[in-house]
């Protein structure tokens, strides 16, 4: 079954959430949370995203940001993929780190 396309926000502000596979704690260590923070910092200007707030929990993260819908998808794809590469390398594993595409 095809998934529904994202709805464009009138204000351009999105509350984005992404969770670890099987609710796994993918941000259990300080270095993991710091890596995600750094990925957001390294990419928000490049993608012209305004980050208003973020919260990194042990098994998921929240971002409150403003972006164009197509830019949002690209930004999230980059930070999610780069984090997955980092996580898999550090934990000597392979495969998917996040459960689904991000929710917004």
């Amino acid at each position: 079954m095809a998934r529904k396309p994202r709805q464009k926000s009138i204000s351009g502000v999105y509350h984005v959430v992404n969770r670890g596979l099987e609710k796994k704690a993918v941000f259990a260590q300080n270095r993991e949370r710091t890596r995600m923070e750094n990925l957001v910092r390294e990419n928000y200007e490049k993608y012209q995203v305004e980050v208003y707030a973020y919260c990194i929990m042990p098994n998921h993260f929240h971002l409150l940001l403003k972006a164009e819908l197509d830019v949002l998808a690209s930004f999230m794809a980059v930070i999610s993929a780069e984090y997955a590469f980092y996580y898999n390398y550090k934990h000597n594993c392979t495969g998917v780190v996040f459960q689904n595409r991000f929710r917004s």
Side-chain angles (χ1 to χ4, degrees), residues 19-37:
R19 181 171 57 191
L21 183 64
E22 298 174 349
K23 300 181 182 178
K24 187 175 179 181
V26 295
F27 303 108
Q29 301 172 0
N30 282 336
R31 71 179 184 185
E32 294 166 344
R33 289 186 291 275
T34 300
R35 181 65 186 137
M36 179 53 87
E37 290 172 359

Side-chain angles (χ1 to χ4, degrees), residues 63-92:
L63 295 171
L64 184 63
L65 47 80
K66 184 173 185 176
E68 293 297 322
L69 195 53
D70 58 335
V71 172
L72 172 64
S74 298
F75 174 75
M76 291 303 298
V78 166
I79 66 170
S80 297
E82 287 188 22
Y83 183 78
F85 179 79
Y86 165 82
Y87 181 87
N88 284 334
Y89 177 78
K90 288 295 182 183
H91 293 274
N92 195 28

Side-chain angles (χ1 to χ4, degrees), residues 2-71:
R3 45 187 182 207
K4 295 178 184 178
R6 290 191 196 283
Q7 290 187 331
K8 183 174 179 164
S9 166
I10 295 170
S11 65
V13 176
Y14 296 90
H15 172 207
V16 176
V17 180
N18 208 353
R19 181 171 57 191
L21 183 64
E22 298 174 349
K23 300 181 182 178
K24 187 175 179 181
V26 295
F27 303 108
Q29 301 172 0
N30 282 336
R31 71 179 184 185
E32 294 166 344
R33 289 186 291 275
T34 300
R35 181 65 186 137
M36 179 53 87
E37 290 172 359
N38 289 339
L39 285 170
V40 171
R41 284 190 190 109
E42 292 165 9
N43 289 287
Y44 81 94
E45 286 181 344
K46 178 180 175 183
Y47 288 92
Q48 299 177 345
V49 172
E50 294 179 49
V51 179
Y52 297 128
Y54 68 90
C55 180
I56 302 174
M57 306 298 285
N59 71 339
H60 68 284
F61 67 91
H62 299 260
L63 295 171
L64 184 63
L65 47 80
K66 184 173 185 176
E68 293 297 322
L69 195 53
D70 58 335
V71 172

